[in-house]
Amino acid sequence: MPVCQIVHLNGSFLPLAEARISPLDRGFLFAHAAYEVTAVYGGRFIDMPGHLTRLSRTLAGIALPDPLSPSGWEALHKELIVRNDLNEGIVYLEVTGGAYDVRDFAGPETFVPTVFAYADSRKLIGAEARDGIKVVFLDDTRWKRRDMKTVQLLSQGLAYRTAKARGADTAFMVEDGFVTEAASSNAWIVTPSGEIITRHLSPAILPGITRAGVMALRGKGGFAVTERAFTPDEAVNAAEVFTTSSGAMVAPVTHIEGRPVGDGKPGPVTRQIQRLYYEAMGADLAAVAPWAMERA
Ligand code: PDD
């Protein structure tokens, strides 16, 4: 499905076909840009404050002034979903270093950002969440500041292409013998003894907002999470594996490198976390995710 037709560009809402950005924009020339992808469910944003906090951290980290206040960002997001009548999907926001009259690596002393945002209608609780996804392992060839959400996404784009060519949906990225994260989500395993593990936060991975959302459910769900790096072998031999992201929420991984994880079906811990997460989103489980009640 194409993205929704009314987009935001530099303070205006306009049809996508009329949105124009200079080819000298630093986002285009240098990948000098921050982005956020915020989930929308039932016409409401999921953890907007978390996304806005991460956005301002990324902007500070890449020398860009924050062009709006948190309430300004929130109003922009809201207006976009109202104008497009979006009930379920995502809002994509990108803030670049702006366009100038020369291609200059360092750029001006103070940047004047380009702000672009669009909405995209899609199912957040869909087939991937129900049936699971397949992953392969690939070298993590990204830059070293993956904690900042920038559009330097070439490694991930190529990883997706390789994964698809190998019959998988995405890749787990591996560095120095450990899984960092998936190409566009955080990676989790459940050991055969039931321990839930996800990599600790550091510049090696993106601090996922969905990851934080799952962490916040520990008390209610009565589960603990160990935050440490795990190896590809641990993932292959895990009882369950899943990913978290704003695009697919909690997605079970059923196959790694063509081999089933556990019995090759989404496992009970993953289903429990899905149930808790969907309830927190305000979803009617029986209506939209009856399969999440399995293995309860
Ligand atoms: N990707 N790790 C990476 C490398 C990601 O690109 C993402 C999100 C995540 C999960 O973060 P969050 O829970 O905040 O969405 C982890 C988004 C959805 C994307 O690029 O489309």
Side-chain angles (χ1 to χ4, degrees), residues 39-100:
V40 181
Y41 192 81
R44 292 204 322 264
F45 289 98
I46 298 170
D47 203 358
M48 174 73 77
H51 286 280
L52 295 182
T53 301
R54 187 171 65 188
L55 174 68
S56 70
R57 262 194 62 233
T58 304
L59 289 172
I62 62 173
L64 296 187
D66 194 336
L68 289 177
S69 64
S71 60
W73 285 123
E74 209 163 319
L76 186 161
H77 278 74
K78 278 197 182 134
E79 187 158 353
L80 201 52
I81 67 167
V82 168
R83 283 180 184 249
N84 288 292
D85 199 19
L86 183 78
N87 188 57
E88 181 174 356
I90 58 107
V91 167
Y92 175 92
L93 168 70
E94 181 167 336
V95 182
T96 84
Y100 309 92

Side-chain angles (χ1 to χ4, degrees), residues 35-37 51 54 92 122 142 146 149 153 156 181-186 205-211 244-247:
Y35 81 110
E36 280 297 330
V37 176
H51 286 280
R54 187 171 65 188
Y92 175 92
R122 64 162 91 142
R142 295 175 297 164
R146 304 155 195 157
K149 195 164 175 68
L153 295 171
Q156 286 106 304
E181 58 190 328
S184 68
S185 53
N186 290 114
I205 65 166
L206 186 75
I209 305 303
T210 321
R211 177 189 184 281
T244 54
S245 73
S246 299

Side-chain angles (χ1 to χ4, degrees), residues 124-133 210 214 217 223 240-244 248-254 265-283 285 288-295:
L124 298 179
I125 305 177
E128 280 193 348
R130 186 190 59 211
D131 304 334
I133 57 173
T210 321
V214 170
L217 295 169
F223 61 86
E240 299 180 41
V241 178
F242 61 94
T243 66
T244 54
M249 315 273 82
V250 180
V253 173
T254 56
K265 299 198 184 91
V269 175
T270 310
R271 287 299 194 219
Q272 187 208 4
I273 290 173
Q274 286 182 314
R275 283 196 298 276
L276 290 164
Y277 199 86
Y278 298 159
E279 274 166 12
M281 285 162 64
L285 274 186
V288 299
W291 37 264
M293 320 289 233
E294 291 160 14
R295 310 186 104 169

Side-chain angles (χ1 to χ4, degrees), residues 136 158-169:
V136 291
L158 296 176
Y160 264 96
R161 290 185 72 79
T162 304
K164 282 189 198 300
R166 287 170 51 185
D169 301 291

Side-chain angles (χ1 to χ4, degrees), residues 134-151:
K134 299 179 173 139
V135 309
V136 291
F137 294 118
L138 289 176
D139 260 359
D140 197 334
T141 57
R142 295 175 297 164
W143 78 323
K144 292 186 177 164
R145 291 305 309 273
R146 304 155 195 157
D147 53 324
M148 301 199 284
K149 195 164 175 68
T150 74
V151 301

